[in-house]
Amino acid sequence: MHEMSLAMSIVELVATEAKAAGARQVNRIELEVGTLSGVLVDSLRFCFEAAARETVAAGAALVIREIAASGRCPACGVEGAMAGLLTDCPGCGQYLVLDKGRELRVVSITVDE
Amino acid sequence: MCDSCGCDHDHEDVTIAVPGRPAVAGESHDHHHGPGRTLRVEQDVLAKNNHLAAHNREWLEGHKIFALNLVSSPGSGKTTLLEQTIRRLNGTLPVAVIEGDQQTLLDAERIDATGAPVVQVNTGAGCHLDADMVHRALHTLAPPDRSLLFIENVGNLVCPAMFDLGEAAKVVIISVTEGEDKPLKYPAMFAAARLCLINKTDLLPHLDFSVARCMEYARRANPDLTFFTLSARTGDGMDEWLTWLNDAVRSA
Ligand SMILES: Nc1nc2c(ncn2[C@@H]2O[C@H](COP(=O)(O)OP(=O)(O)OP(=O)(O)O)[C@@H](O)[C@H]2O)c(=O)[nH]1
Ligand SMILES: [Mg+2]
Ligand SMILES: [Zn+2]
């Protein structure tokens, strides 16, 4: 379950940012997660709750913005949604090349409400 | 854009949950934003791992150590392949090994019996090695300059694809008993690898596994893959693999 180590990385990253800003409590964390990032969102939430315990991010709400994966066909240039890494071009049947959907990023934190 | 509060969140894409309560869909968006300060962070969650991996890579390259990260499902034959590789190299090339497993020293003991220096990383609940574990293992192992370093990752075709360790290349191993469809089911791992080893070919006569089809599926995920088909049990196909390793270390 790599979501646990990702959750611990999120807590560490957020704690560093909060400390730099002189904040005592993080109330909200905004995350971007691509649908092909390899992260199970429910599992990440579960792990985050445990990882954040007794840290500056304890009890913070995780606001997760899922980014739908999409790509472009290298042959005909058509763009399309990607349900998996191996998604056929709707135009010519070649595989689409992913350009969005691998994100796993902390966008913002809200502190000291 | 949310009309009722002017916040910049696309509600269809957002779920909001308070730990301990079930997640709710976008419409019931929490309109209590409070007076808190919102700070832009814009940082990749894997940034720290990637940074440590870059540090490992720099150190390895500086010492001309050629590092391979071996990934596969459990039991595809990674440790057997390493034992045979080390025995056949027979001291012509210095080899060191980092073993990753959730528990036990079993794989490290098998490598130790070949005489190669080895350290075991036990990840506990963790399903993959990360760059920090490899960094610490390197301090203990202290592999010699101009050597070959094998990092046997935890048997798992999913998570290790996400974590760069600082290796020169990932080697994905698939055994013929696993079925030829694995590259279609786990494309991220095949996309991340440079080499693909198809192992246990001695068992082919007993199975309906098609090596050609497996390669075709793997190339869909990664057209640039280099393949070796071999049997770590009988040694069939090992020579090509050893030649590739020798060339790679010399040009590292
Ligand atoms: N027939 C046959 N069996 C093999 C071959 N390579 C490995 N095995 C057997 O496959 C089983 C698993 O091999 P290991 O080398 O322990 O596999 P592994 O990938 O290191 O396993 P984990 O570290 O647990 O993920 C053992 O019983 C090996 O003897 C091969 O080429 N042919
Ligand atoms: Mg093993
Ligand atoms: Zn995992």
Side-chain angles (χ1 to χ4, degrees), chain B residues 21-58:
Chain B
R21 275 191 249 154
V24 287
E27 319 84 67
S28 44
H29 166 77
D30 180 3
H31 280 190
H32 170 73
H33 287 248
R37 286 183 289 150
T38 295
L39 314 168
R40 301 304 290 176
V41 176
E42 299 287 358
Q43 281 190 51
D44 199 301
V45 174
L46 287 167
K48 188 174 176 207
N49 184 74
N50 292 340
H51 176 80
L52 289 169
H55 175 75
N56 290 345
R57 185 168 285 115
E58 196 181 323

Side-chain angles (χ1 to χ4, degrees), chain B residues 78-79 99 107 152:
Chain B
K78 298 179 293 299
T79 311
E99 280 291 341
D107 283 1
E152 182 182 331

Side-chain angles (χ1 to χ4, degrees), chain A residues 53-72:
Chain A
R53 235 167 252 156
E54 290 171 33
T55 75
V56 70
L62 259 195
V63 178
I64 296 183
R65 184 199 299 244
E66 284 200 69
I67 305 211
S70 64
R72 178 187 289 273

Side-chain angles (χ1 to χ4, degrees), chain B residues 70 77-87 95-101 105-121 141 148-152:
Chain B
L70 273 59
K78 298 179 293 299
T79 311
T80 309
L81 175 80
L82 290 182
E83 293 173 296
Q84 290 309 315
T85 301
I86 294 163
R87 294 212 159 95
V95 183
V97 179
I98 296 173
E99 280 291 341
D101 285 294
L105 282 169
L106 293 172
D107 283 1
E109 285 163 1
R110 286 166 59 185
I111 299 299
D112 189 56
T114 69
V118 58
V119 294
Q120 176 82 51
V121 178
L141 186 62
L148 180 57
L149 173 69
F150 289 113
I151 305 169
E152 182 182 331

Side-chain angles (χ1 to χ4, degrees), chain B residues 211-230:
Chain B
V211 172
R213 212 171 311 136
C214 181
M215 287 182 176
E216 198 249 303
Y217 291 157
R219 282 202 186 96
R220 291 194 199 174
N222 182 351
D224 302 323
L225 271 176
T226 298
F227 292 93
F228 293 96
T229 49
L230 48 81

Side-chain angles (χ1 to χ4, degrees), chain B residues 151-163:
Chain B
I151 305 169
E152 182 182 331
N153 218 313
V154 179
N156 173 349
L157 272 180
V158 183
C159 318
M162 291 178 75
F163 293 83

Side-chain angles (χ1 to χ4, degrees), chain A residues 28-72:
Chain A
R28 182 174 173 279
I29 300 168
E30 185 188 1
L31 269 185
E32 274 179 1
V33 180
T35 51
L36 292 183
S37 64
V39 173
L40 293 176
V41 165
D42 288 344
S43 169
L44 184 65
R45 285 186 188 287
F46 179 83
C47 292
F48 172 78
E49 190 193 338
R53 235 167 252 156
E54 290 171 33
T55 75
V56 70
L62 259 195
V63 178
I64 296 183
R65 184 199 299 244
E66 284 200 69
I67 305 211
S70 64
R72 178 187 289 273

Side-chain angles (χ1 to χ4, degrees), chain A residues 1-2 5-6 9-10 12-13 17-18 21-23 27-28 30-32 37-39 41-42 45 48-49 59-66 85-86 95 102 104-113, chain B residues 8-10 13-20 23 32-48 102 125-128 130 156 158-159 162-163 183-184 187-188 191 217 220-221:
Chain A
M1 216 174 47
H2 55 292
S5 66
L6 295 173
S9 297
I10 292 170
E12 194 182 330
L13 193 161
E17 292 292 317
N27 300 307
R28 182 174 173 279
E30 185 188 1
L31 269 185
E32 274 179 1
S37 64
V39 173
V41 165
D42 288 344
R45 285 186 188 287
F48 172 78
E49 190 193 338
L62 259 195
V63 178
I64 296 183
R65 184 199 299 244
E66 284 200 69
L85 279 180
L86 303 180
Y95 285 123
R102 273 245 162 98
L104 181 54
R105 192 182 314 128
V106 178
V107 179
S108 71
I109 58 176
T110 303
V111 299
D112 291 345
E113 238 168 82
Chain B
D8 61 356
H9 302 299
D10 213 349
D13 289 340
V14 175
T15 51
I16 295 181
V18 174
H32 170 73
H33 287 248
R37 286 183 289 150
T38 295
L39 314 168
R40 301 304 290 176
V41 176
E42 299 287 358
Q43 281 190 51
D44 199 301
V45 174
L46 287 167
K48 188 174 176 207
Q102 290 198 330
C127 52
H128 59 272
D130 66 32
N156 173 349
V158 183
C159 318
M162 291 178 75
F163 293 83
L184 296 180
Y217 291 157
R220 291 194 199 174

